[in-house]
Amino acid sequence: MLLGSGTASASAFQVEARTEAQAYQLRSYRQASPSDPVLLPRRRIVQYLGLTGYELVTGQDLGFESSLRLFADLGLPRGEAAKIDGLRSEDADLLYAFVRYGVGGIEGKLGRQLYVDVADMLAFDGLSVRYMSPRGIGAEVYGGLWVKGAGFLSSSVYQPDGTRESDVRRLDQGVAGADPTLTALEPMYGAKLLVENLRGVSASLGYRRAVVDGKTDIERATVEARYGQGLGPSAIAGVDFDLVQLKLAQARAQVRWDGETLAVSGEALRLSPVFSADSIWYWFAYAPRDEARVRVDYFPRGPLRYYVQAVGSLYHTVINDSLQLARVDLSQGQPSNTVGGSAGASLRRERLRSAVDVSYRRGFGGSQLWADLTAGYGFGEGHFTLDGRLSAARIQDGFNPLLEGTFLGAQVWASQALSRAARLSLVLEHNVNPYTRWDSKVFFLFDLKASL
C-alpha cells in the first residue's frame, strides 16, 4: 500500500457580468424652443465585468476585487464627441481593482479603491492600511492619486464637483483662460482614529487633504459616531468640517427607537455639495440645505407595513458678493424653507409584493405632490418575475415655468432566469410631461454570475 500526500488549493473565484442595451432620448437645447422641444435619440451598449478572488494563498486572507465597465454610444461618432467636454463615444472605466490582505487585525488594500464616509464618496489609486485591536480601538491611513475623468481608465463620477473634466480641447485651440491643471495629478491622503463596537459604540475621527499643482484642493476633518444594541434606542451622528473655509460642510444626527412593532426616529441634516477649491461655485455660491425629519414605522403581524414622515428644509441662498461679481436676489418673493411629508404602505405575501407612497412639499421653489404605486409578482418558483411602477406628480416650480403641470410615468420590468447563474431582463419606461412632452426608454439586461 502506498500513501501519498498533496496540497489542495482553497482559492475561490466569482465572476459577474452584466450587458445593457439602452435606448432613450435627451432633450436638445439647440435648434429648439420651450414650446417645441427636440429629443435626441441615444443608443448605448454597456458591459460590466467583475472578478473577485478569495484565499489566493492557502490559509492566507489574500484576495482581490475588480469591476470594469465598457461602453459604446452607437449614435455618437468620435468626431462629434471630441467637440464636447467630458463626452466619449466609446471607452472603458475601471471602477475599482485592488488586492486585499489581512492578518492579525491588520487589513491592507493596494490598487484602485472606493472610500465612503460622512464627507464624500471618492475613488483613488493607492494604498490603505487599517488596524483594529481586539479591544475595538484602531486606526487607518490611506493615500494615493484621486481618480479623475482624464486619468487612465477613469471616470469623472468621483472627482470633486464644480470644474470641467479637461481643458485639452481649449488648450489645443489656444482659448484664453484654458486651465492646464484640470488634468493634473491630484495626490490625496488621509487618516482616521477608530473605535469599533465598544459597548455598542463605534466612532471615528478623520482628516483628509488633496493637492493640485502644489495648492490645496480639498481639506476636511470628520467626526462620526454610532450607537446601537438591537431593539431599543440607537443613534447616528457625523460632522464634516471644511478646513479651507473654516465652516461646517456636512452634518447628520439621528436618534431612533425600535420596538417589536413600532419604530420612531428623528433626524437633522446639513447637506452641501463637495466642490473643488478651483470652482467658482465653491467661493461664490456655497449654498447648503438644512433639513429635519421625523418618521414613524409600524409593522404589525401580517404582510402589511406602514410609515409616515414629516420633513422641513431651510435653503441658504446667500451669495458671496464681496468681489462684486454677483448681486442677485434669488428670493423673488419665495420663502427659503419648505415643509411637507410622506406616507406609505407596503405588502409582501408569498410571491406578491406591492407598495404605495405619497409625498408633498411646499415652500422654496414651489410645490410638489408625488404618488407612486409599485407591484411585482414571481411566477412558478420565481424564475420569471414581473414588476411595474406607476408615478404621477403635480409640480408648480417657482423658478422654471417649464416645470409646471402634471407629470406621468409608467415602467415595466420583466425578468427571466435562464439558469442559476444567468438572468435576462427587459425594462420599458414611458413618461408624459410638459417638459419633453413624452419620452420612452428601453433597457435590455443580461446578468451572469458564476463561482469557480
Side-chain angles (χ1 to χ4, degrees):
M1 177 183 237
L2 297 177
L3 298 178
S5 63
T7 59
S9 173
S11 300
F13 299 90
Q14 186 172 27
V15 180
E16 296 185 37
R18 163 171 281 195
T19 303
E20 294 184 10
Q22 307 171 358
Y24 58 98
Q25 299 90 17
L26 293 176
R27 176 167 176 158
S28 171
Y29 290 91
R30 291 186 176 182
Q31 299 179 348
S33 64
S35 60
D36 187 20
V38 175
L39 299 180
L40 303 177
R42 296 295 301 273
R43 304 292 182 262
R44 303 178 75 237
I45 185 166
V46 184
Q47 177 69 57
Y48 293 89
L49 298 172
L51 178 62
T52 305
Y54 307 92
E55 199 172 333
L56 302 182
V57 177
T58 303
Q60 301 292 321
D61 186 10
L62 175 64
F64 69 87
E65 298 180 31
S66 64
S67 180
L68 177 68
R69 175 177 60 199
L70 303 96
F71 63 91
D73 193 323
L74 306 181
L76 182 65
R78 291 184 181 180
E80 294 184 12
K83 299 176 182 178
I84 304 175
D85 295 321
L87 191 60
R88 299 170 290 175
S89 60
E90 55 188 36
D91 210 335
D93 296 330
L94 186 62
L95 304 180
Y96 57 85
F98 59 86
V99 176
R100 189 192 69 84
Y101 180 70
V103 59
I106 299 177
E107 181 185 67
K109 296 180 182 179
L110 178 63
R112 178 165 297 179
Q113 49 197 291
L114 303 180
Y115 192 90
V116 182
D117 61 12
V118 68
D120 199 3
M121 180 175 183
L122 59 94
F124 68 93
D125 295 330
L127 174 67
S128 65
V129 179
R130 176 188 177 100
Y131 170 73
M132 185 60 63
S133 71
R135 295 186 177 183
I137 299 176
E140 72 175 0
V141 294
Y142 56 92
L145 297 176
W146 202 305
V147 175
K148 303 167 71 172
F152 174 72
L153 294 180
S154 299
S155 168
S156 60
V157 172
Y158 300 112
Q159 77 179 56
D161 291 330
T163 60
R164 291 186 294 273
E165 182 177 303
S166 169
D167 255 355
V168 172
R169 180 176 60 85
R170 289 179 174 82
L171 290 169
D172 292 341
Q173 296 175 351
V175 176
D179 186 359
T181 66
L182 292 179
T183 54
L185 298 178
E186 185 163 354
M188 55 81 64
Y189 57 88
K192 276 188 177 180
L193 298 176
L194 305 168
V195 175
E196 189 171 283
N197 199 21
L198 191 62
R199 295 183 179 181
V201 176
S202 297
S204 68
L205 174 64
Y207 172 81
R208 177 185 305 145
R209 184 170 184 249
V211 179
V212 175
D213 197 30
K215 297 178 291 186
T216 298
D217 189 36
I218 288 178
E219 189 173 16
R220 300 292 180 97
T222 61
V223 178
E224 298 178 82
R226 180 186 299 266
Y227 170 79
Q229 293 182 308
L231 294 178
S234 62
I236 299 173
V239 171
D240 168 28
F241 191 79
D242 186 344
L243 295 174
V244 177
Q245 291 200 34
L246 297 178
K247 63 173 60 177
L248 183 67
Q250 320 273 356
R252 181 191 181 193
Q254 182 193 75
V255 292
R256 181 182 173 99
W257 182 86
D258 287 273
E260 295 288 346
T261 60
L262 188 71
V264 181
S265 64
E267 187 174 15
L269 303 103
R270 155 71 58 102
L271 306 170
S272 58
V274 181
F275 285 127
S276 164
D278 286 331
S279 170
I280 191 173
W281 305 108
Y282 177 74
W283 300 102
F284 296 99
Y286 191 88
R289 182 178 95 243
D290 296 331
E291 187 163 291
R293 305 171 185 169
V294 177
R295 175 169 172 144
V296 177
D297 290 85
Y298 178 54
F299 26 89
R301 291 187 177 183
L304 291 173
R305 303 288 185 268
Y306 308 91
Y307 84 89
V308 60
Q309 178 176 255
V311 180
S313 302
L314 176 64
Y315 291 82
H316 298 267
T317 57
V318 177
I319 290 181
N320 182 355
D321 60 358
S322 59
L323 296 181
Q324 307 297 316
L325 294 180
R327 284 188 176 276
V328 181
D329 179 15
L330 290 180
S331 64
Q332 299 179 2
Q334 295 278 339
S336 60
N337 62 284
T338 65
V339 293
S342 59
S346 63
L347 179 147
R348 184 173 288 273
R349 176 177 291 167
E350 297 179 351
R351 303 172 186 173
L352 176 66
R353 54 194 176 275
S354 183
V356 59
D357 297 272
V358 178
S359 64
Y360 177 75
R361 282 199 179 195
R362 182 177 183 83
F364 179 77
S367 64
Q368 300 183 17
L369 173 63
W370 292 79
D372 286 281
L373 174 63
T374 62
Y377 190 82
F379 296 86
E381 298 181 356
H383 295 297
F384 178 75
T385 60
L386 185 64
D387 291 86
R389 177 177 180 177
L390 296 174
S391 302
R394 179 65 180 176
I395 298 177
Q396 292 181 330
D397 193 292
F399 299 113
N400 188 348
L402 292 178
L403 295 180
E404 292 190 7
T406 301
F407 294 70
L408 303 173
Q411 186 181 86
V412 176
W413 183 310
S415 183
Q416 173 67 51
L418 304 180
S419 67
R420 296 181 62 181
R423 177 172 287 272
L424 192 66
S425 303
L426 178 66
V427 183
L428 305 176
E429 180 178 329
H430 186 72
N431 301 289
V432 179
N433 57 75
Y435 187 58
T436 58
R437 300 295 184 262
W438 64 270
D439 67 84
S440 298
K441 298 181 175 72
V442 179
F443 297 90
F444 170 84
L445 302 95
F446 176 70
D447 292 284
L448 178 66
K449 186 175 183 179
S451 298
L452 308 177

mmCIF file of all heavy atoms in Angstrom, residues 9 152 184-185 300:
data_model
loop_
_atom_site.group_PDB
_atom_site.id
_atom_site.type_symbol
_atom_site.label_atom_id
_atom_site.label_comp_id
_atom_site.label_asym_id
_atom_site.label_seq_id
_atom_site.Cartn_x
_atom_site.Cartn_y
_atom_site.Cartn_z
ATOM 1 N N SER A 9 -5.738 23.479 -3.016
ATOM 2 C CA SER A 9 -5.923 24.926 -3.009
ATOM 3 C C SER A 9 -7.338 25.260 -2.583
ATOM 4 O O SER A 9 -8.302 24.636 -3.042
ATOM 5 C CB SER A 9 -5.646 25.495 -4.400
ATOM 6 O OG SER A 9 -5.988 26.868 -4.444
ATOM 7 N N PHE A 152 -6.208 57.363 -16.362
ATOM 8 C CA PHE A 152 -6.186 56.089 -17.083
ATOM 9 C C PHE A 152 -7.395 55.250 -16.703
ATOM 10 O O PHE A 152 -7.619 54.954 -15.535
ATOM 11 C CB PHE A 152 -4.888 55.339 -16.759
ATOM 12 C CG PHE A 152 -4.835 53.952 -17.337
ATOM 13 C CD1 PHE A 152 -4.678 53.761 -18.705
ATOM 14 C CD2 PHE A 152 -4.943 52.843 -16.518
ATOM 15 C CE1 PHE A 152 -4.628 52.489 -19.242
ATOM 16 C CE2 PHE A 152 -4.891 51.562 -17.042
ATOM 17 C CZ PHE A 152 -4.729 51.384 -18.414
ATOM 18 N N ALA A 184 -4.204 67.674 -14.231
ATOM 19 C CA ALA A 184 -3.017 67.407 -13.406
ATOM 20 C C ALA A 184 -3.318 66.319 -12.383
ATOM 21 O O ALA A 184 -4.466 66.129 -11.956
ATOM 22 C CB ALA A 184 -2.564 68.680 -12.698
ATOM 23 N N LEU A 185 -2.282 65.591 -11.973
ATOM 24 C CA LEU A 185 -2.438 64.586 -10.933
ATOM 25 C C LEU A 185 -2.844 65.258 -9.621
ATOM 26 O O LEU A 185 -2.416 66.373 -9.313
ATOM 27 C CB LEU A 185 -1.134 63.821 -10.742
ATOM 28 C CG LEU A 185 -0.625 63.026 -11.957
ATOM 29 C CD1 LEU A 185 0.700 62.351 -11.623
ATOM 30 C CD2 LEU A 185 -1.654 61.999 -12.403
ATOM 31 N N PRO A 300 -47.057 45.677 12.041
ATOM 32 C CA PRO A 300 -47.781 44.666 12.811
ATOM 33 C C PRO A 300 -47.573 43.272 12.222
ATOM 34 O O PRO A 300 -46.987 43.113 11.155
ATOM 35 C CB PRO A 300 -49.237 45.114 12.670
ATOM 36 C CG PRO A 300 -49.276 45.799 11.335
ATOM 37 C CD PRO A 300 -47.949 46.486 11.200
#
